[in-house]
Amino acid sequence: MWFKLITWFRYIKATGFLVRMIFECGKDAIPFFIIFVFFLIAFTDGTNVIGKQNLQEDGGEMVNMQFGSVFDAFVHNYKTSMGDWDTDIYENSNTYAERVYFWIIWFLNTILNLIILLNLLIAIISTTYERVNEKAK
């Protein structure tokens, strides 16, 4: 319903450009989001594999004490990609080597996803804005 409602704004002169811009940015950003999700899954796998070194039995089943589940590791890596600097979870590591591996993955995640890929998204949106603005004139 809300998606249909926003398409009605195309017919208003003041908002038509913005609606067109939103849809064009969405189309142009699809390849970016495929790469972004790929890297999120890769970093999730890395943190989950290292976190599995810290398994403990809880009610008859083995629980990853570092993240809890793969979904929790994914959310942690997503939040890191969006600029969340919460690194307290790394202090629960059993060994110094695990802590070092976590920090390496955190550093790579921060550089690649937060700095490089999100700046690439800004460049994609800027290019789309220029193209849509030229068509509007």
Side-chain angles (χ1 to χ4, degrees), residues 23-38:
F23 286 119
E24 289 294 320
C25 283
K27 285 192 306 190
D28 291 348
I30 289 172
F32 164 81
F33 285 117
I34 291 170
I35 297 296
F36 184 71
V37 169
F38 172 79

Side-chain angles (χ1 to χ4, degrees), residues 4-59:
K4 282 186 176 183
L5 185 61
I6 194 130
T7 58
W8 283 93
F9 285 117
R10 291 182 302 173
Y11 303 112
I12 302 171
K13 186 172 180 136
T15 59
F17 174 77
L18 297 174
V19 172
R20 200 170 325 112
M21 181 68 193
I22 290 169
F23 286 119
E24 289 294 320
C25 283
K27 285 192 306 190
D28 291 348
I30 289 172
F32 164 81
F33 285 117
I34 291 170
I35 297 296
F36 184 71
V37 169
F38 172 79
F39 280 117
L40 273 179
I41 292 170
F43 286 119
T44 298
D45 183 53
T47 54
N48 193 48
V49 167
I50 297 168
K52 283 187 178 178
Q53 306 300 320
N54 199 2
L55 289 176
Q56 292 182 358
E57 188 170 346
D58 182 27

